[in-house]
Amino acid sequence: MVVGAAIIRHGRVLAAQRATPPAAAGRWEFPGGKVDPGETETAALVRECIEELGVRIGVGGRVGADVPMVNGAVLRLYLADLLAGEPRALEHLEVRWLSADELDSVPWLPADAPLAAALVPHLTG
C-alpha cells in the first residue's frame, strides 16, 4: 500500500516534483509513500510528510478510488491539513501549491493523475 496526502490550504493543493528514480524524475505526485509493516496508513502519511516536507499534518478522509500502480502496489489518497511548518522540498525537486485550474499545468505520475482530477470538488467547494 502507498498513501498520498492531499494537503489543502486556501483552495490549493500541494504537489511535489519527483527527483528519483530517473523514470519518474520531473513528474508530479502527492507527498507520501509506502506503508511500513505494522504501520497504519495515517501514521505512514504523518511520517512521510515529516521526512519529505518537514511539516506535521492532520489526516482526514479519503479522496477518490484506490489506484493500481505499475509495481503492483495500490495508491490511496487522503485529505490532509497542515498543522505545523511550511512545506519544503527535502526529497523532491520542487513543491508547488496548485488551484483547481492549475492541476493540469504539471505532468502528474500516472497513478496520481486520476486522484488530482478527483480533488477538484475539494478545491472549488
Side-chain angles (χ1 to χ4, degrees), residues 16 29-33 47-55 88-92 95:
E29 67 179 355
F30 295 103
R47 173 183 54 77
E48 289 282 354
C49 286
I50 291 168
E51 292 171 1
E52 293 182 2
L53 305 169
V55 299
R88 300 180 320 256
L90 301 176
E91 296 182 2
H92 291 87
V95 293

Side-chain angles (χ1 to χ4, degrees), residues 6-14 63 79-82 97 119 122-123:
I7 303 170
I8 296 176
R9 180 171 72 180
H10 307 301
R12 294 175 177 267
V13 66
L14 188 73
V63 177
L79 294 172
D81 293 316
L82 196 56
W97 292 99
L119 269 179
H122 297 278
L123 300 175

Side-chain angles (χ1 to χ4, degrees), residues 78-120:
Y78 288 86
L79 294 172
D81 293 316
L82 196 56
L83 299 180
E86 187 61 31
R88 300 180 320 256
L90 301 176
E91 296 182 2
H92 291 87
L93 295 174
E94 179 184 354
V95 293
R96 189 182 296 175
W97 292 99
L98 301 173
S99 68
D101 293 341
E102 296 168 320
L103 289 173
D104 292 335
S105 70
V106 298
W108 292 97
L109 287 169
D112 291 79
L115 294 170
L119 269 179
V120 171

Side-chain angles (χ1 to χ4, degrees), residues 1-3 34-35 66-76 111:
M1 177 65 61
V2 176
V3 289
K34 292 179 184 169
V35 179
D66 289 354
V67 179
M69 300 175 71
V70 294
N71 62 4
V74 171
L75 175 60
R76 188 171 283 170

